[in-house]
Amino acid sequence: MAEALEVTGEISRIRDKALAMIPDGNLSACLTCGTCASGCPATGQMDMDPRKFLRMAVLGMDEQLERHPWVWVCTMCKRCYDVCPMSINIPQLIYDLRAEWPREERPKGILGSCDHHLKSCGGAMGVPLEDFQFTIEDLAEECREQPGFEELKADLDREGAFFALNQNSREPVTEPDELLPLWKILHTVGADWTYYSQMWGGENYCMFLADDESWEKIIRTQVEHIDKLGCKVFINTECGHSFFAVWQGIRRFNIPHNFEFRSIIEYYAQWIRDGKLPVNSDWNTQGIKFTVQDPCNIIRKSLGDKMADDLRFVVKQVVGEENFIDMTPNRSMNFCCGGGGGALQAGYTEERQEYGKVKFDQIMATGADYVITPCHNCHAQVEDIGHHFNAGYHTVHLWTLICLSLGILGENERTYLGPDLAEYGL
């Protein structure tokens, strides 16, 4: 039997951080099994992997690690942590090392998005509140022109609304018509909802920047404002990292709150089961095949397989169980797509795309025509690697397919549908 390596050497600040994360504080028991590296799509990028990273920490190689750019390639997806027999939280170590970079030297894309969010008190796009409010009012007027939505309401800061809804700031700026399917779903089920004005953007790049102070400021501002409005449920739209940012931020910073925090995907499932959202798969007469991406942040890192099961329930109801093909592995063991952790704005494009090859191969193995991506970062990454590796699949939000199945998807709400569905129901 191999003997455990007895670690000795100079004082190491990084090694001490790693030791603090382990229940028995025994790094010497690590036999470098490689389980972490074998399940990490970032393995090999920049000649680094989770096992090598940890061993360098164990050996006190602080100088080589403290500015290693691999910390910005790792998405902190937590898959390595979940399979580690020693329960070493490598993603937390990565986060801590990101935080040690001088703030001005961290990736400019992530830094800029964080600072735009703070300055605008809105979101990462830096959109002024009055522009967001104008977009809401203008789109709501447009939506009310469609049959069946004459009474649709979309407002801001309405006190006493049951739901407070966040919104990824990319949609109001670059693809505002993507707001309408979500609003139509809420209208169909009779939801009582409002947007909130303070830090209304769902995304949180300050978390990716490893800027605890700014991450906390965004979440605390949201929480306090929503409590002032008196909303019962803070509902997160189809975005993985925005869910985790709030879910983890409330815990990490011990922020008191009077509402329940939920993902809209959970409500999709509940509304379908309750008969409020009468979706069906009768429209899929061509046998178009679909698969689904499990966002790391709302599955593995927070709500677990129950959430994955709700997601699959909704998808199967919408596209037909016989038309759903799961990736392997899936649910909590699904591979990260490579778009999380701020990777889309970190500036390491080649590494991000190569990271995504594992996900690309998973998708291609299903033979699916569409990849349903209930997360903005997953959506952008899965779409990008599809183009990069010359695939023919389409990447689509779940809200698009729900409205398609209900026969209420508008003409301008079909950006991500392929030619096989672009004209369906018009």
Side-chain angles (χ1 to χ4, degrees):
M1 179 180 294
E3 294 184 3
L5 174 65
E6 184 64 33
V7 177
T8 60
E10 301 296 324
I11 294 174
S12 168
R13 172 179 45 80
I14 297 175
R15 183 170 67 225
D16 289 346
K17 286 180 178 290
L19 282 167
M21 298 174 189
I22 305 170
D24 63 2
N26 183 15
L27 276 172
S28 296
C30 178
L31 300 177
T32 64
C33 67
T35 305
C36 58
S38 66
C40 172
T43 289
Q45 298 294 320
M46 297 179 173
D47 193 33
M48 185 61 71
D49 61 63
R51 175 173 60 177
K52 183 176 181 179
F53 194 91
L54 182 62
R55 297 314 294 170
M56 290 174 71
V58 168
L59 295 171
M61 301 173 69
D62 288 21
E63 185 177 346
Q64 291 91 331
L65 291 180
E66 60 187 6
R67 290 292 182 275
H68 202 296
W70 191 77
V71 300
W72 303 104
V73 174
C74 166
T75 62
M76 301 178 290
C77 78
K78 203 184 171 188
R79 199 172 193 273
C80 59
Y81 177 46
D82 275 15
V83 300
C84 176
M86 287 183 65
S87 297
I88 301 174
N89 195 341
I90 297 175
Q92 183 61 50
L93 184 59
I94 295 292
Y95 183 92
D96 290 345
L97 292 183
R98 284 188 179 193
E100 291 189 2
W101 283 49
R103 197 174 188 276
E104 67 277 7
E105 293 181 16
R106 301 176 202 179
K108 294 187 184 302
I110 304 176
L111 176 63
S113 291
C114 173
D115 288 347
H116 283 322
H117 203 147
L118 295 170
K119 185 177 180 180
S120 68
C121 288
M125 300 291 287
V127 179
L129 178 60
E130 55 267 28
D131 288 0
F132 179 50
Q133 185 165 8
F134 172 81
T135 299
I136 295 171
E137 294 170 354
D138 188 55
L139 285 171
E141 184 176 346
E142 175 187 320
C143 193
R144 285 191 286 268
E145 295 176 358
Q146 298 187 33
F149 297 98
E150 295 84 359
E151 303 299 321
L152 180 138
K153 294 181 180 179
D155 52 27
L156 184 71
D157 280 349
R158 180 164 53 82
E159 293 185 5
F162 186 81
F163 293 115
L165 180 73
N166 66 14
Q167 187 70 59
N168 188 291
S169 66
R170 185 180 74 179
E171 274 111 15
V173 177
T174 64
E175 44 187 10
D177 286 323
E178 286 298 307
L179 298 176
L180 299 187
L182 177 61
W183 295 359
K184 289 178 177 179
I185 292 169
L186 294 169
H187 179 78
T188 298
V189 301
D192 175 24
W193 68 278
T194 187
Y195 283 123
Y196 57 92
S197 62
Q198 296 300 302
M199 302 296 187
W200 56 264
E203 66 283 355
N204 194 321
Y205 279 88
C206 298
M207 176 179 69
F208 294 149
L209 193 67
D211 181 345
D212 270 6
E213 181 180 351
S214 298
W215 176 9
E216 179 180 1
K217 181 177 181 180
I218 290 172
I219 303 303
R220 191 173 290 276
T221 301
Q222 290 174 335
V223 167
E224 291 177 352
H225 186 67
I226 291 170
D227 271 346
K228 286 180 181 178
L229 292 175
C231 300
K232 303 299 182 184
V233 176
F234 180 6
I235 191 167
N236 196 84
T237 57
E238 295 179 27
C239 185
H241 97 258
S242 65
F243 181 89
F244 183 75
V246 176
W247 184 86
Q248 178 68 6
I250 286 174
R251 289 160 175 75
R252 184 182 183 91
F253 306 117
N254 195 27
I255 301 175
H257 57 287
N258 297 318
F259 53 77
E260 184 180 6
F261 181 59
R262 300 277 297 277
S263 166
I264 199 167
I265 298 171
E266 298 175 278
Y267 276 101
Y268 287 164
Q270 179 179 320
W271 290 330
I272 291 172
R273 291 184 176 109
D274 292 345
K276 293 182 178 180
L277 199 59
V279 299
N280 66 76
S281 60
D282 294 346
W283 61 271
N284 196 0
T285 58
Q286 303 176 56
I288 299 169
K289 303 303 180 186
F290 295 81
T291 190
V292 67
Q293 161 66 1
D294 289 297
C296 301
N297 282 299
I298 54 174
I299 307 294
R300 178 166 47 248
K301 294 176 68 174
S302 52
L303 298 183
D305 283 346
K306 182 182 182 302
M307 178 65 165
D309 291 340
D310 275 348
L311 175 57
R312 279 159 179 76
F313 168 76
V314 175
V315 170
K316 290 175 182 179
Q317 293 295 309
V318 170
V319 307
E321 187 167 359
E322 69 279 10
N323 298 312
F324 173 71
I325 308 170
D326 223 337
M327 296 188 208
T328 304
N330 53 60
R331 294 176 170 81
S332 292
M333 290 308 296
N334 200 13
F335 288 112
C336 176
C337 68
L344 287 164
Q345 291 182 267
Y348 299 102
T349 304
E350 291 183 9
E351 289 82 2
R352 172 177 57 77
Q353 290 172 336
E354 187 59 31
Y355 185 123
K357 184 62 165 57
V358 173
K359 176 57 56 184
F360 176 79
D361 290 342
Q362 268 194 297
I363 294 169
M364 296 306 292
T366 69
D369 304 290
Y370 284 84
V371 184
I372 301 169
T373 51
C375 170
H376 284 78
N377 285 342
C378 293
H379 187 282
Q381 171 73 344
V382 170
E383 185 178 42
D384 182 65
I385 59 176
H387 293 314
H388 180 71
F389 293 112
N390 298 313
Y393 63 74
H394 300 281
T395 311
V396 64
H397 297 294
L398 187 50
W399 58 54
T400 302
L401 294 177
I402 289 175
C403 286
L404 185 74
S405 77
L406 292 170
I408 58 175
L409 190 66
E411 182 178 0
N412 297 326
E413 301 155 24
R414 299 165 178 255
T415 301
Y416 297 107
L417 295 180
D420 51 353
L421 292 177
E423 303 295 326
Y424 180 84
L426 290 177

